[in-house]
Amino acid sequence: MKRFVLRFLRSPEGVAGLILLSCLVAMALLAPVLFPRDPLAIVGRPLTAPFTDASLPLGTDRLGRDVLAGLMHGARASLLVGIFAALVAILVGAVVGTVAGFAGGLIDEALMRVVDAFQIVPGFLLALAFVSVTGPSLPVIVFAIALGAWTGPARLARAEVLSIRERDYVAAARVIGMHPAEIAFKEVLPNALPPVLALVSVIVASAVLIEAALSFLNLGDPNIVTWGSMIAEGRNVLRTAPYLSIVPGFGLVLTVLGVYLFGEGLVEGMAHRRRRQ
């Protein structure tokens, strides 16, 4: 673990991503402390320009809501959606891929055809259809995004399990009478998981963008502030108040960039660790 951390810290991409993500996490955690009131509340004159009012550093939107408060509370929504969607996708994908790869035969064929069926539909369109039918809320959006993201981890987990299941320690576990499910999830899955975890950064970045796109189309949770809804709000006054869309858009860019760079550092550290093994 110590060598992995040292290897990660030697990666410029990983360190840059860690710094960006640390700032975003700090924003999300400090949002209810620095802005305890509802970020949707009206706090000033509409369309106050940035840096013209000390109490409203980034100005206000068309209704007089604080843009800085919305930006910080929006970071919470984006990170929550990205992290939980990635966790659900990795969990479902790892379980399905492990079962398919370890069982083989008809079970493998059936599960892989299900994976193929989900991969036919682009993730955004699947999330759009699901949210349109069930109604927008944060848990529904997380599940809808994970619904289109679990296939990648499933395929990768299956490939890793296929290469691991014939190794000597797996054969020894069979000889001593361990149950197949116990072998699959206690002996095989932990060794197949590291490459699957490398997909977390891709899934988180994709989830953040999909959530923003859904919110931009008014399919986000109406009870919370999101960067996508802020961008959608600003498009109506893009010529007179471009900052309303630029500020949350810049937040999205930094989030995706930070997640990508952090993921690059993790992949480099894990690849080095696997080479040593």
Side-chain angles (χ1 to χ4, degrees):
M1 184 64 182
K2 182 178 179 180
R3 289 176 179 175
F4 168 76
V5 173
L6 291 175
R7 180 71 178 179
F8 176 84
L9 293 177
R10 292 194 190 103
S11 168
E13 298 90 349
V15 173
L18 179 62
I19 292 172
L20 283 174
L21 288 181
S22 298
C23 293
L24 290 168
V25 171
M27 284 176 57
L29 293 176
L30 292 175
V33 177
L34 298 178
F35 301 96
R37 74 169 75 186
D38 186 356
L40 296 174
I42 297 174
V43 296
R45 293 189 303 107
L47 296 179
T48 300
F51 311 117
T52 58
D53 188 337
S55 62
L56 302 166
L58 295 182
T60 59
D61 64 6
R62 293 190 306 160
L63 299 178
R65 296 174 294 197
D66 190 347
V67 174
L68 180 58
L71 182 69
M72 295 189 68
H73 281 271
R76 300 180 68 196
S78 294
L79 291 177
L80 282 175
V81 168
I83 292 171
F84 280 101
L87 288 176
V88 173
I90 292 293
L91 178 62
V92 174
V95 171
V96 171
T98 300
V99 172
F102 193 79
L106 291 176
I107 295 177
D108 184 19
E109 285 294 323
L111 290 176
M112 286 301 100
R113 297 298 75 77
V114 173
V115 171
D116 291 340
F118 274 89
Q119 282 190 317
I120 291 173
V121 183
F124 174 69
L125 292 182
L126 188 61
L128 182 65
F130 188 84
V131 173
S132 299
V133 171
T134 59
S137 67
L138 207 58
V140 168
I141 291 172
V142 168
F143 183 77
I145 294 172
L147 201 61
W150 66 275
T151 54
R155 284 195 174 278
L156 185 54
R158 175 181 177 271
E160 289 293 318
V161 170
L162 287 175
S163 68
I164 292 173
R165 67 179 184 178
E166 302 301 331
R167 293 184 182 177
D168 292 340
Y169 70 89
V170 178
R174 289 194 181 99
V175 170
I176 64 175
M178 289 181 66
H179 192 276
E182 190 177 4
I183 297 174
F185 291 103
K186 285 189 176 181
E187 302 294 333
V188 176
L189 179 57
N191 293 293
L193 201 56
V196 179
L197 293 177
L199 294 176
V200 168
S201 60
V202 177
I203 297 174
V204 170
S206 176
V208 169
L209 291 176
I210 291 175
E211 186 279 327
L214 291 173
S215 297
F216 184 81
L217 297 174
N218 292 323
L219 288 174
D221 192 330
N223 299 314
I224 61 174
V225 177
T226 65
W227 288 341
S229 63
M230 293 177 68
I231 295 173
E233 174 69 22
R235 67 180 171 176
N236 297 315
V237 288
L238 194 58
R239 291 186 177 182
T240 57
Y243 65 91
L244 293 179
S245 293
I246 292 175
V247 169
F250 191 62
L252 275 176
V253 171
L254 289 181
T255 300
V256 174
L257 181 62
V259 170
Y260 172 77
L261 293 176
F262 184 76
E264 286 292 306
L266 289 180
V267 169
E268 186 174 341
M270 286 191 291
H272 180 74
R273 184 178 179 181
R274 286 172 67 84
R275 286 196 298 267
R276 293 182 63 87
Q277 291 175 347

